[in-house]
């Protein structure tokens, strides 16, 4: 549809006489080089739009679909970190299978005809456990992370070299004909370098030199690293990077992280970033000379198992990204950005081969014009006013700009896109619950409901104690992150003459902890639970407890919820108890902190391998007709069939407490339906003005995460083993698999909406609707051309209405995966209601 537009700009490359400085690096890399304006790939200037998809945050069966959806969304490049602690779980022992099959992921990107940015790090932050660095490295004597420290540099260089050599062996670097065009060393170190003094400065120089010595044949980048040495390119990470300038004038302007949403924490609100603002930030970046742009994240995915960091980062890493956690396009964000990418690409040659002319059109309105001597021209017109719509005059024409928006004119005349005008479809996604079904392989499936097996742990020390010590140990230093759990146990003798025993009062247990959470048991009974949060990990715990005369066992189950993933000297941040006191005895406050404590690492079920399909067969599970409710420290097992259909699956844990879940031995992850606070949320989000993570919070009073992604590829046709470890008590009879299903599509567009008509001189608005893969448009719940009112699920016919609307859209779209409907007189009665701006609104279902 854009062939004419492409013709308008194709000659710009040949007619441009501007001279950009070309870096000496261009001579070293035959396939990828750069100058002050852009990258060159195989000798051709490239304006690149990239999408972050982290391979271990999805599963191999999803990778081809994710890459395909990204490419259909107008993406040129896939970006990923490399996750060191997933690949080297112990020194010198490497793993590149399953979700960590990096080479397979890169090959899928290559086979899709796309490029790749490999951010080796190997520190990544990324809300990933310990920032991606293996925990074992912290315990190598003399090691300090991310500074001029020999042990750290030794292991960092070893791993970096391992990854580079692996990519070279597969011929994945562009210099070998492969897809990798950029590599990154370190990550956002500029924020923390000063804290390390001279060691930080020398470390930066060492890291850059070490990376360059790998001889990849492609440029290296360091994000947020203002002193990155030439020829390493410093890049930008932010919500907005239009004002960013590289460290050297010889380098292109690269945006490695544009955050289209934000992460969630257990107990935190649900942040959202409006599509209009994301589009505004991208358009402004390219308007101001940007050359490579990357969405972090384009698909966030899932923190399976215990991979989430923070601490307190949820198992979901959805990130409000254009592709949701389950792999479905998130409309309208996905569609709106797809249209943006198309508009930018219409301007590519003009942008890359001409210097801009800045034209002031008002106090907060401006245009950047990219034009050559032949008359070929592209322009971006921006309204920086975050409250008011403005009408401006540009080249003898009038343009109305919504507040906080950018209009894109590939020919300097016709607007094909405005960031604030969303014409993309929206979709209604629902989680359709299904009761857990007994496995069809079970001989008793038709005779009784789902049967459960349970294994109940005893609070406190199981088996032999690991050690005894006066006072407390640090939780992380003790477990070395082999488990979330550490038992702290001690005994308290209560005199039979204590007043509270006679009066029925209860003493108070006072605990202070460095984090992250705990369950307090007295004499085998759960008294209460406490935790920090995603903002502050340390916490104070206060609860009345039931004590008896004589000896009382106090058992505290301390828990981590992901390890620190960023910050200066972050590897030294600890967790666990620092103070335990009892208040309400006749002797006053009894401080137990320095008494004798007995320790046990992990919970018994982990030691027995109850989560493992084979290991669990050798354990004395107990069969029950009805699983117990509200019972702490309980393992549940059920043999189930997969849910019907082929939609993505979420495990609904809203009626459970806190714990871990597995399917067929695969780690689903931590679950914790902890509720967000009841305040500081919005019903609708105003896209206007600069975004911050707290601007558009939703989900107040709701669980931060209710559903937990279970990939379809993890299911067998029957005999699936679902294992749950519940820490504090819940109702397992309410556990459900839920199918993530698109239940309806809605779209509306007005006659004056910017369009990608093949003839830029004639604006023809159009509406596009598209069902997910393997689905077709099966029905229309609503269709009206005229002046329809309302929004999705509540559309109604207005005073002006073409009675043939439904017939027309059905004729165009029924039984198709996707369709485009133009608002033309050939389709609709455009003569209706003269003088009125008409629009088309539809609501469809897919099946």
């Amino acid at each position: 549809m854009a062939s004419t537009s492409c013709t308008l700009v194709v000659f710009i490359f040949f007619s441009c006489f501007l001279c950009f400085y070309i870096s000496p690096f261009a001579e070293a890399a035959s396939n990828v080089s750069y100058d002050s304006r852009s990258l060159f790939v195989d000798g051709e200037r490239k304006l690149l739009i990239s999408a972050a998809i982290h391979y271990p945050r999805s599963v191999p069966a999803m990778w081809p679909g994710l890459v395909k959806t990204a490419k259909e969304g107008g993406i040129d490049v896939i970006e990923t970190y490399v996750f060191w602690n997933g690949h080297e779980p112990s020194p010198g022992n490497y793993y590149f299978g399953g979700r960590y099959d990096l080479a397979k992921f890169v090959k899928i990107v290559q086979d899709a005809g796309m490029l790749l940015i490999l951010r080796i790090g190997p520190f990544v932050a990324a809300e990933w456990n310990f920032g991606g660095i293996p925990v074992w490295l912290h315990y190598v004597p003399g090691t300090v992370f991310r500074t001029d420290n020999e042990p750290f540099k030794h292991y960092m260089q070893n791993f970096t070299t391992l990854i580079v050599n692996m990519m070279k062996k597969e011929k994945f670097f562009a210099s070998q004909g492969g897809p990798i065009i950029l590599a990154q060393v370190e990550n956002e170190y500029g924020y923390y370098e000063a804290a390390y003094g001279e060691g930080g400065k020398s470390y930066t120089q060492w890291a850059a030199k070490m990376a360059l010595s790998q001889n990849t044949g492609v440029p290296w980048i360091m994000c947020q690293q203002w002193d990155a040495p030439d020829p390493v390119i410093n890049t930008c990470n932010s919500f907005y990077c239009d004002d960013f300038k590289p460290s050297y004038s010889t380098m292109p302007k690269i945006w490695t992280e544009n955050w289209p949403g934000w992460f969630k924490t257990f107990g935190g609100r649900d942040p959202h970033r409006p599509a209009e603002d994301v589009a505004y930030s991208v358009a402004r970046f390219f308007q101001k000379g940007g050359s490579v742009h990357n969405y972090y994240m384009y698909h966030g995915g899932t923190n399976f198992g215990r991979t989430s960091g923070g601490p307190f980062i949820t198992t979901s890493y959805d990130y409000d990204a254009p592709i949701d956690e389950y792999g479905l396009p998130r409309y309208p964000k996905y569609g709106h950005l797809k249209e943006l990418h198309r508009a930018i690409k219409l301007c590519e040659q003009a942008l890359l081969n001409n210097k801009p002319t800045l034209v002031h059109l008002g106090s907060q309105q401006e245009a950047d014009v990219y034009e050559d001597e032949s008359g070929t021209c592209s322009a971006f017109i921006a309204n920086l006013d975050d409250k008011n719509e403005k009408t401006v005059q540009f080249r003898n024409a009038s343009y109305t700009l919504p507040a906080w928006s950018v209009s894109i004119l590939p020919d300097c005349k016709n607007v094909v896109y405005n960031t604030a005008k969303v014409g993309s479809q929206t979709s209604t996604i629902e989680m359709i619950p299904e009761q857990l079904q007994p496995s069809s392989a079970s001989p008793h499936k038709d005779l009784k409901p789902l049967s459960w097996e349970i294994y109940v742990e005893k609070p406190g020390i199981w088996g032999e104690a690991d050690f005894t010590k006066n006072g407390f140990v640090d939780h992380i230093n003790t477990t070395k992150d082999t488990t979330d759990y550490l038992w702290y146990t001690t005994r308290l003798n209560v005199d039979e003459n204590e007043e509270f025993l006679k009066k029925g009062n209860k003493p108070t247990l006072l605990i202070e902890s460095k984090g992250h959470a705990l369950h307090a048991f007295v004499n085998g009974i759960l008294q209460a639970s406490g935790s920090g949060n995603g903002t502050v990990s340390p916490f104070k715990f206060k609860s009345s407890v039931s004590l008896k005369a004589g000896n009382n066992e106090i058992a505290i189950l301390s828990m981590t919820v992901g390890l620190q993933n960023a910050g200066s000297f972050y590897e030294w941040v600890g967790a666990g108890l620092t103070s335990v006191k009892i208040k309400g005895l006749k002797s006053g406050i009894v401080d137990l902190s320095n008494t004798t404590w007995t320790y046990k690492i992990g919970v018994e079920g982990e030691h027995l391998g109850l989560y493992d399909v084979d290991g669990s067969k050798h354990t004395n599970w107990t069969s029950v007709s009805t699983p117990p409710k509200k019972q702490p420290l309980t393992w549940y097992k059920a043999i189930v069939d997969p849910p019907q259909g082929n939609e993505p699956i979420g495990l609904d844990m809203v009626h459970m407490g806190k714990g871990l879940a597995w399917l067929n031995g695969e780690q689903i992850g931590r679950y914790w339906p902890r509720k967000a606070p009841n305040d500081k949320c919005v019903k609708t989000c105003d896209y206007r003005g600069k975004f911050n993570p707290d601007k558009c919070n939703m989900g107040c009073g709701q669980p931060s995460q209710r559903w937990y992604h279970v990939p379809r590829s993890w299911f067998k046709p029957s005999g699936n083993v679902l294992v749950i470890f519940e820490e504090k008590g819940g109702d397992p009879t309410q556990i459900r698999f839920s199918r993530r299903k698109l239940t309806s599509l809605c779209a509306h567009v007005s006659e004056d909406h910017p369009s990608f008509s093949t003839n830029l001189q004639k604006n023809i608005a159009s509406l596009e609707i598209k069902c997910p893969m393997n689905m077709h448009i099966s029905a229309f719940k609503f269709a009206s051309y005229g002046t329809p009112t309302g929004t999705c699920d509540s559309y109604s016919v207005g005073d002006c209405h073409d009675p043939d609307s439904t017939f027309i859209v059905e004729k165009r779209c029924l039984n198709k995966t996707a369709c485009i409907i133009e608002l033309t007189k050939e389709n609709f009665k455009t003569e209706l209601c003269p003088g009125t701006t008409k629009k088309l609104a539809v609501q469809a279902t897919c099946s």
Side-chain angles (χ1 to χ4, degrees), residues 34 183-191 193 200-209 211-212 219-236 244-252:
Y34 62 80
Q184 179 178 305
V185 66
E186 251 297 334
N187 187 58
E188 296 182 333
Y189 189 62
Y191 292 133
E193 181 184 285
K201 293 179 182 179
S202 57
Y203 168 70
T204 297
Q205 302 301 309
W206 171 87
K209 184 178 179 180
L212 293 169
W220 284 84
I221 60 174
M222 298 178 88
C223 63
Q224 298 297 96
Q225 191 64 53
W226 302 280
D227 60 349
D230 192 6
V232 177
I233 305 169
N234 173 40
T235 66
C236 184
F244 170 78
K245 288 181 174 56
S247 300
Y248 297 89
S249 61
T250 57
M251 296 177 175

Side-chain angles (χ1 to χ4, degrees), residues 321-539:
I323 303 176
D324 74 15
E325 177 182 4
Y326 295 81
L328 299 177
R330 171 174 276 112
Y331 291 103
K333 185 174 285 186
Y334 173 86
H336 191 49
L337 296 177
K338 176 181 178 178
E339 293 172 3
L340 168 65
H341 305 155
R342 187 178 174 189
I344 291 170
K345 288 295 184 174
L346 289 175
C347 307
E348 181 173 11
Q349 294 302 323
L351 289 171
L352 290 178
N353 295 283
N354 298 278
K355 287 187 176 180
T357 299
L358 177 62
V359 181
H360 294 284
L361 304 173
S363 60
Q364 292 181 286
Q365 295 75 41
E366 62 183 28
D368 283 274
V369 183
Y370 293 81
E371 185 175 22
D372 68 15
E373 294 177 355
S374 72
T376 302
C377 184
S378 291
F380 288 65
I381 307 177
N383 180 12
L384 309 184
D385 190 322
D386 62 8
K387 295 181 176 61
N388 304 302
E389 177 183 280
K390 294 292 182 179
T391 298
V392 299
Q393 296 297 314
F394 174 69
R395 297 201 167 195
N396 300 317
S398 180
Y399 297 89
T400 299
L401 305 171
W404 198 253
S405 75
V406 178
S407 286
I408 300 176
L409 294 69
D411 60 353
C412 284
K413 295 178 183 178
N414 294 281
V415 176
V416 299
Y417 184 89
N418 179 273
T419 59
K421 294 183 177 181
V422 180
S424 170
Q425 70 184 34
T426 59
S427 55
T428 301
I429 303 289
E430 296 182 20
M431 300 299 286
I432 308 299
E434 290 188 2
Q435 284 196 329
L436 301 183
Q437 294 297 316
S439 173
S440 56
S442 169
H444 305 294
K445 179 180 179 183
D446 297 328
L447 301 179
K448 60 181 181 180
L450 181 69
S451 62
W452 290 87
E453 294 178 87
I454 65 169
Y455 187 92
V456 182
E457 296 199 16
K458 170 184 170 294
I461 305 302
W462 49 271
E464 295 293 326
D466 285 322
F467 61 92
T468 299
K469 183 180 185 298
N470 289 338
F472 298 124
V473 296
D474 180 79
H475 180 129
I476 299 170
N477 286 341
T478 305
T479 65
K480 295 181 172 57
D481 198 42
T482 56
T483 172
D484 281 356
Y485 306 109
L486 178 64
W487 281 107
Y488 294 69
T489 67
T490 192
R491 291 188 175 275
L492 174 68
N493 188 272
V494 173
D495 190 282
E496 62 182 7
N497 295 315
E498 284 284 353
E499 286 295 319
F500 75 86
L501 293 173
K502 301 174 183 178
K503 296 182 178 179
N505 298 331
K506 289 186 176 183
T508 300
L509 177 63
L510 304 170
I511 302 176
E512 295 182 13
S513 172
K514 292 181 287 185
H516 305 151
L518 66 80
H519 303 306
F521 295 82
V522 175
N523 298 322
I525 305 298
L526 178 63
Q527 305 294 306
S529 303
S531 69
N533 57 54
T535 303
V536 182
S537 294
F539 65 96

Side-chain angles (χ1 to χ4, degrees), residues 57 67 95 248 277 291 423 520 538 560 571 637 648 657 671 728:
R57 280 175 159 148
V67 171
Y95 178 71
Y248 297 89
D277 184 63
S291 63
T560 51
E571 71 269 30
K637 181 172 75 169
Y671 69 84
K728 63 179 184 176

